[in-house]
């Protein structure tokens, strides 16, 4: 039985309106399934807004019908017109660039529908940002702050790197929490539950973004369900971008929500500290072979012509755009290749200001905001035959969607492939 | 021919009695783009059950996997009429919890290690589950 406060009971009784009542009822049902005893206040939320393709299952274009059935699990039609005042809420990616549809072969009607869905969310209190990297616009929950997010990588990043408290939840529950301001006090919201459960000893050097990406997959592939790894190794030149790449890959390769890295993350000053004095339930080792196998499982073998090259998952920050522009300067993208970079609107504005966008466009590429190839989906991707990504997450998503050839590698080798129009043996990564 | 019967018990969290053919994914199904919600067919690259449908099955999973969009693909399958009849999770996690709160189909979770349904149930077994008592009856020839 979930114990509710007076405020929570007031919402359940309908005194704060129908939408908040249904949101709270859903949160309480969710809490009962988890066997949680109480709820906690949520002050940071990202929510999944826009006319995403999975919503097509509802067979309706009426926003209220779609929102009620798909996000609120309600057959009663509700109006999304309010959110929790004390919560910083912003939107995750949508299936459209915020300003363009023609480059993606999307109909104008779909672009307008997506805009309408975003506008409805904005009017209800959601900041329309459109990014899987909400921290790049200041969405930064501090240690001990309770958050919800629709981006799996952000769940692991916020728990692990910042010591904030959140579970993976789901797209629906993120809306429920953003509306009623509560989530079950369970899992990572409880200090004692954040103790590491399994030791991971990394016995190989991890250098460069790609190796960190692969480390995430290698660990994720060995983790038991719901395990919290405590990762140890001789790491050097660690950056936030390397960590977010690794934790994003870890999230999609397992159901991991929190990862201690000894000496790097705030709840892991030591192995014992990360375990909170408890006994580890098991462990594994990651060596050269594990990392290479992780790569070979994602990147198709062989070489061949390519017609789609994409950088930026998670969304690039401004320094990544700078480094890309520096490398690309003076080069020309092969005429048969679509070369795209993905970021969020304010970062692109800074890239415009610094001249990076011009360099990318002069070379024959483009920078887009608010979405990513996997989120845009088939209508766009079906125009291409052979894909190159600098991100394990994009490569895995596009593979699952049935793409013919998917190559994956270091960002600069991806640019080389975009320039030559070929994925060659030398582009392939080797441990 | 001898019919083998096994009974295991977890924590029943959404009531209802259903029975059907088991589909067991010992490494779960990835969230975003793991299934086609219109048909329930598993699309995940590398999934041992790729190409099989969750529709009308008793789905047996260790927990969720991957994207925070895990629940919404199953919720979409429910709206499209391609949901499983019931499902069970070796150990509940937050994404599986949200998916269960959305689906409202009979659900059993949190089995003892010795009664892990992912190890004891095989594809094609006939499974009867009671979402109130948490009892799972497994029949195989």
């Amino acid at each position: 039985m979930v114990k509710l406060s007076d405020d929570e009971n007031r919402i359940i009784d309908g005194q704060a309106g129908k939408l908040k009542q249904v949101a709270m009822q859903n949160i309480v049902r969710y809490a009962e399934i988890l066997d949680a005893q109480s709820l906690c206040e949520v002050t940071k939320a990202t929510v999944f807004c826009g006319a995403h393709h999975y919503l097509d299952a509802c067979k309706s274009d009426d926003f209220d019908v779609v929102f009620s059935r798909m996000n609120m699990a309600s057959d009663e039609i509700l109006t999304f017109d309010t959110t929790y005042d004390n919560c910083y809420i912003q939107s995750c990616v949508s299936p459209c660039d915020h300003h363009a549809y023609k480059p993606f072969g999307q109909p104008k009607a779909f672009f307008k529908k997506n805009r309408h869905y975003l506008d409805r969310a904005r009017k209800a209190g959601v900041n329309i940002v459109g990014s899987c990297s909400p921290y790049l616009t200041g969405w930064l929950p501090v240690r001990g702050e309770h958050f919800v997010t629709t981006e799996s990588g952000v769940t692991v990043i916020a728990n692990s790197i910042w010591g904030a408290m959140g579970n993976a939840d789901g797209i629906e529950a993120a809306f429920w929490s953003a509306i009623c301001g509560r989530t079950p006090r369970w899992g990572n919201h409880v200090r004692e539950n954040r103790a590491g459960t399994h030791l991971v000893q990394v016995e190989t050097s991890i250098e460069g973004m790609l190796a960190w990406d692969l480390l995430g997959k290698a660990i994720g592939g060995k983790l038991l369900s719901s395990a919290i790894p405590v990762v140890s190794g001789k790491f050097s030149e660690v950056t936030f971008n390397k960590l977010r790449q690794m934790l994003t890959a870890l999230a999609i390769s397992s159901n991991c929500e929190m990862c201690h890295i000894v000496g790097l993350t705030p709840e892991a000053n030591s192995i014992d500290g990360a375990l909170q004095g408890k006994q580890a339930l098991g462990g594994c080792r990651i060596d050269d072979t594990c990392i290479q196998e992780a790569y070979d499982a994602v990147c198709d073998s062989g070489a061949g012509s390519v017609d789609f090259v994409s950088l930026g998952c998670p969304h690039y920050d401004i320094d990544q755009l700078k480094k890309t522009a520096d490398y690309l300067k003076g080069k020309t993208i092969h005429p048969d290749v679509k070369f795209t970079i993905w970021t969020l609107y304010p970062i692109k504005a800074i890239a415009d200001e610094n001249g990076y966008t011009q360099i990318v466009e002069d070379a024959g590429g483009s920078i887009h905001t608010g979405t990513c190839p996997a989120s845009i989906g088939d209508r766009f991707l079906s125009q291409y035959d052979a894909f190159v990504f600098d991100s394990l997450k994009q490569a895995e998503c596009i593979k699952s969607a049935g793409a013919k050839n998917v190559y994956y590698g270091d960002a600069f080798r991806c640019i080389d492939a975009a320039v030559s129009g070929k994925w060659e043996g030398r582009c392939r990564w080797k441990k | 021919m001898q019919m083998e019967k096994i009974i295991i018990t977890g924590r029943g969290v959404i009531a209802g009695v259903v029975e059907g053919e088991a589909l067991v994914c010992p490494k779960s199904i990835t969230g975003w783009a793991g299934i086609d919600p219109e048909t329930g067919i598993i699309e995940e690259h590398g999934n041992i059950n790729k190409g099989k449908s969750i529709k009308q099955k008793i789905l047996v999973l260790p927990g969720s996997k991957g994207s925070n969009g895990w629940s919404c693909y199953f919720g979409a399958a429910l709206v499209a009429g391609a949901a499983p009849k019931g499902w069970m999770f070796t150990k509940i996690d937050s994404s599986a919890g949200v998916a269960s709160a959305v689906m409202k189909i009979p659900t059993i979770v949190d089995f003892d290690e010795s009664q892990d349904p992912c190890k004891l149930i095989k594809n094609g077994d006939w499974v009867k589950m009671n979402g109130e008592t948490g009892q799972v009856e497994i029949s195989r020839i």
Side-chain angles (χ1 to χ4, degrees):
Chain A
M1 192 69 180
V2 185
K3 192 178 175 199
L4 300 182
S5 68
D6 290 345
D7 279 350
E8 291 156 2
N9 272 317
R10 198 175 56 80
I11 296 173
I12 268 271
D13 289 345
Q15 293 178 46
K18 187 70 189 172
L19 184 72
K20 290 199 179 197
Q21 181 185 35
V22 173
M24 186 63 88
Q25 286 169 342
N26 287 341
I27 285 291
V28 170
R29 184 166 69 254
Y30 172 35
E32 285 168 350
I33 290 166
L34 297 175
D35 207 17
Q37 305 301 306
S38 63
L39 309 180
C40 50
E41 186 189 21
V42 173
T43 48
K44 289 280 187 308
T46 72
V47 287
F48 208 58
C49 303
H52 287 281
H53 302 299
Y54 76 92
L55 299 172
D56 293 347
C58 195
K59 311 273 187 237
S60 172
D61 285 335
D62 183 314
F63 174 82
D64 292 313
V65 171
V66 174
F67 183 78
S68 302
R69 294 193 70 192
M70 302 296 285
N71 292 324
M72 300 302 291
S74 168
D75 288 331
E76 185 180 349
I77 306 308
L78 307 165
T79 304
F80 183 31
D81 57 1
T82 186
T83 47
Y84 184 57
D85 284 343
N86 198 31
C87 191
Y88 177 156
I89 310 165
Q90 69 178 54
S91 67
C92 200
V93 288
S94 88
C96 295
D97 180 291
H98 286 178
H99 300 100
Y101 57 93
K102 287 181 182 166
F104 312 110
Q106 292 175 308
K108 188 175 183 182
F110 178 72
F111 178 77
K112 285 175 74 175
K113 176 178 152 184
N114 186 63
R115 190 75 245 175
H116 172 61
Y117 279 29
L118 296 179
D119 284 344
R120 287 294 306 270
R122 180 177 53 76
K123 287 173 184 168
V126 178
N127 295 294
I128 300 304
V129 173
S131 182
C132 57
S133 306
Y135 37 82
L136 293 177
T137 48
W139 187 98
L140 285 154
V142 298
R143 190 169 185 176
E145 185 175 359
H146 300 283
F147 70 90
V148 296
T149 178
T150 43
E151 167 54 41
S152 57
V154 173
T155 305
V156 194
I157 290 165
N159 274 312
S160 309
I161 301 180
W162 303 320
M165 300 174 129
N167 295 318
D169 302 312
I171 283 167
E172 302 89 339
F175 276 115
W176 308 339
S177 293
I179 290 167
C180 75
R182 295 293 186 275
T183 194
R185 190 179 294 279
W186 186 89
N188 297 312
H189 293 285
V190 180
R191 171 86 183 94
E192 295 72 38
N193 295 343
R194 298 165 65 86
T197 59
H198 290 72
L199 299 176
V200 178
Q201 183 65 41
V202 180
E203 297 178 337
T204 176
S205 60
I206 303 295
E207 293 157 359
M209 292 282 281
L210 196 87
W212 281 91
D213 212 16
L214 292 167
L215 177 62
K217 181 177 172 66
I219 294 172
K222 288 177 178 279
L223 281 187
L224 295 173
S225 190
S226 300
I228 298 178
V230 178
V231 180
S232 305
K234 289 180 182 166
F235 304 122
S236 60
E237 297 183 16
V238 182
T239 64
F240 171 67
N241 274 343
K242 289 173 181 170
L243 291 179
R244 74 168 170 144
Q245 205 73 30
M246 172 217 174
L247 297 175
T248 300
L250 172 61
I252 65 149
S253 309
S254 65
N255 70 347
C256 181
E257 298 173 352
M258 172 145 192
C259 173
H260 299 286
I261 307 174
V262 179
L264 283 171
T265 57
E267 293 168 60
N269 287 331
S270 64
I271 290 176
D272 279 349
L275 293 170
Q276 293 187 21
K278 298 171 188 166
Q279 197 74 30
L281 303 176
C284 65
R285 294 170 192 279
I286 302 290
D287 58 16
D288 285 352
T289 308
C290 301
I291 301 289
Q292 189 65 53
E293 282 176 358
Y295 181 76
D296 293 340
V298 181
C299 183
D300 284 349
S301 57
S305 298
V306 298
D307 56 2
F308 187 95
V309 178
S310 164
L311 308 179
C313 171
H315 278 166
Y316 266 5
D317 68 16
I318 191 62
D319 196 54
Q320 290 172 301
L321 285 174
K322 176 189 185 298
K323 300 289 194 298
T324 304
D326 288 348
Y327 189 76
L328 199 54
K329 196 167 189 176
K331 297 186 174 78
T332 303
I333 302 297
H334 191 280
D336 295 337
V337 173
K338 177 87 171 174
F339 177 71
T340 53
I341 307 171
W342 305 86
T343 185
L344 58 167
Y345 181 70
I347 302 296
K348 180 173 180 295
I350 302 170
D352 295 347
E353 190 70 24
N354 281 276
Y356 309 149
T357 308
Q358 194 64 53
I359 293 170
V360 172
E361 290 178 353
D362 286 348
S366 52
I367 301 176
H368 299 284
T369 65
T371 186
C372 68
S375 296
I376 296 175
D378 281 352
R379 183 181 276 272
F380 175 40
L381 300 172
S382 61
Q383 302 173 60
Y384 305 99
D385 290 322
F387 298 81
V388 178
F389 296 102
D390 69 336
S391 152
L392 186 143
K393 181 170 183 172
Q394 286 291 317
E396 295 258 56
C397 282
I398 304 303
K399 266 191 171 193
S400 284
K404 292 172 201 161
N405 291 104
V406 178
Y407 302 109
Y408 156 63
D410 171 83
F412 293 150
R413 299 296 78 75
C414 293
I415 296 172
D416 292 345
V419 169
S420 68
K422 290 190 180 76
W423 180 262
E424 298 173 272
R426 67 181 185 83
C427 298
R428 203 170 176 84
W429 183 85
K430 288 188 185 67
K431 181 73 187 98
Chain B
M1 211 174 293
Q2 189 81 31
M3 172 83 82
E4 187 187 355
K5 246 184 197 174
I6 305 167
I7 291 178
I8 58 176
T9 306
R11 183 168 63 87
V13 293
I14 295 187
V17 177
V18 285
E19 56 185 296
E21 185 186 336
L23 182 65
V24 187
C25 296
K27 292 200 166 181
S28 192
I29 305 170
T30 200
W32 194 254
I35 60 165
D36 172 6
E38 299 281 348
T39 60
I41 291 174
I42 297 172
E43 295 183 324
E44 180 191 3
H45 172 71
N47 191 298
I48 59 163
N49 289 311
K50 186 175 180 179
K52 292 179 183 158
S53 177
I54 64 169
K55 185 176 179 177
Q56 292 292 303
K57 299 282 190 347
I58 303 294
L59 188 58
V60 183
L61 303 169
S64 67
K65 182 171 75 173
S67 168
N68 289 14
W70 202 82
S71 54
C72 76
Y73 267 70
F74 291 96
L78 179 78
V79 170
K85 285 183 179 173
W87 61 358
M88 63 192 82
F89 302 96
T90 305
K91 190 175 176 195
I92 193 68
D93 58 58
S94 66
S95 298
V98 173
S100 301
V102 168
M103 303 277 274
K104 302 172 200 166
I105 57 174
T107 306
I108 304 174
V109 305
D110 292 341
F111 292 81
D112 281 346
E113 208 172 315
S114 62
Q115 303 208 329
D116 184 348
C118 284
K119 290 180 181 159
L120 296 174
I121 305 177
K122 308 290 176 208
N123 274 359
D125 285 352
W126 192 258
V127 174
K128 185 174 179 182
M129 57 182 286
N130 184 328
E132 187 159 16
T133 63
Q135 185 168 294
V136 179
E137 191 179 295
I138 307 153
S139 305
R140 85 172 59 114
I141 294 171

